[in-house]
Amino acid sequence: MLSITLIIVILTAVISFTAFRNEKVLNDMIFYPPAITHNKQYYRFFTCGFIHADIAHLAFNMISLYLFGEFVEQRFIDIFGNTGKLLYIALYLSALAVSLFPTYLKNRNNAYYRSLGASGAVSAVVFAGLMIAPYIKVGFFFIPPIIPGFVFGPLYLLISAYLDKKGGGNINHSAHLWGALYGVAFLIIAGKLSGEYDAIDGFVRGISYYFNS
């Protein structure tokens, strides 16, 4: 049986490749703030996460999602039982919208702004994984997986915040930043509401494990 993560990867790849060849599909799904403001097309908060700019963009996001998502999905099942899969789906889909909301507020009437890609949701999954297992080692681009998660996380947030403030380029660093923070908040709140998991305590224990292993 396919995991939810693999289903998301396959679905995103199929839709993205369709959009590569069909400009109408791309335009109908892309995150375009004025269409939300004036035409109430709220679905764009979600559909834009299933299309990408090019193959490299798609590959980076989906490889990152698969590497972390399989682990996070299984841990959600271990922690939350039968509702774990539903919570994992809720995390991914809600992160698509939440990570873009600050971008929307800044560009609600900006006719020149468009955004696409699953980066915000992928960041949410990655950071939920880093909360669960802060001792795992992470790589980044040309850096091999040698950075412990509890070090990588704050560095990623600081760099994303700096690049977002700096502006320029074609990358929505705001979505990366808010998606990551949302992934942490989602896990903490879900754990508290269920009474099954103390994410903060688990994070501290994970760091302790790193130094004592």
Side-chain angles (χ1 to χ4, degrees):
M1 184 176 179
L2 296 179
S3 66
I4 293 170
T5 300
L6 190 54
I7 291 172
I8 293 173
V9 169
I10 293 171
L11 182 62
T12 303
V14 169
I15 296 175
S16 291
F17 274 103
T18 301
F20 291 158
R21 301 189 299 269
N22 191 321
E23 189 173 354
K24 184 179 185 306
V25 171
L26 180 71
N27 290 332
D28 286 347
M29 299 181 70
I30 202 166
F31 182 70
Y32 182 51
I36 297 171
T37 302
H38 303 296
N39 300 325
K40 312 303 181 185
Q41 294 178 357
Y42 301 111
Y43 65 85
R44 290 179 183 270
F45 277 108
F46 304 96
T47 56
C48 66
F50 292 91
I51 55 176
H52 288 77
D54 50 40
I55 293 177
H57 186 208
L58 172 66
F60 181 81
N61 273 342
M62 292 303 100
I63 290 173
S64 299
L65 174 61
Y66 183 75
L67 291 176
F68 273 88
E70 291 279 313
F71 167 73
V72 174
E73 179 181 342
Q74 185 56 56
R75 289 297 290 124
F76 267 43
I77 295 170
D78 294 340
I79 293 169
F80 301 110
N82 293 332
T83 61
K85 287 191 174 184
L86 291 177
L87 285 172
Y88 180 73
I89 295 172
L91 166 64
Y92 189 85
L93 293 179
S94 60
L96 289 173
V98 172
S99 65
L100 285 171
F101 193 68
T103 301
Y104 169 72
L105 293 178
K106 292 179 182 179
N107 297 278
R108 65 178 72 190
N109 292 306
N110 185 352
Y112 298 100
Y113 188 87
R114 287 172 171 78
S115 181
L116 74 174
S119 298
V122 173
S123 292
V125 171
V126 169
F127 270 71
L130 294 181
M131 277 295 290
I132 293 170
Y135 49 82
I136 61 174
K137 295 181 179 180
V138 184
F140 192 70
F141 288 110
F142 57 88
I143 303 175
I146 58 174
I147 308 172
F150 64 88
V151 173
F152 173 85
L155 286 175
Y156 181 90
L157 293 175
L158 287 172
I159 292 172
S160 294
Y162 168 75
L163 292 175
D164 179 44
K165 185 176 181 179
K166 180 181 178 182
N170 296 318
I171 300 175
N172 187 355
H173 296 288
S174 172
H176 295 176
L177 173 64
W178 290 105
L181 293 174
Y182 179 69
V184 172
F186 185 97
L187 181 63
I188 293 173
I189 294 171
K192 290 290 186 182
L193 291 178
S194 69
E196 299 292 332
Y197 183 67
D198 187 331
I200 296 176
D201 180 68
F203 180 74
V204 173
R205 288 175 181 271
I207 295 176
S208 177
Y209 170 81
Y210 174 83
F211 286 108
N212 294 323
S213 61

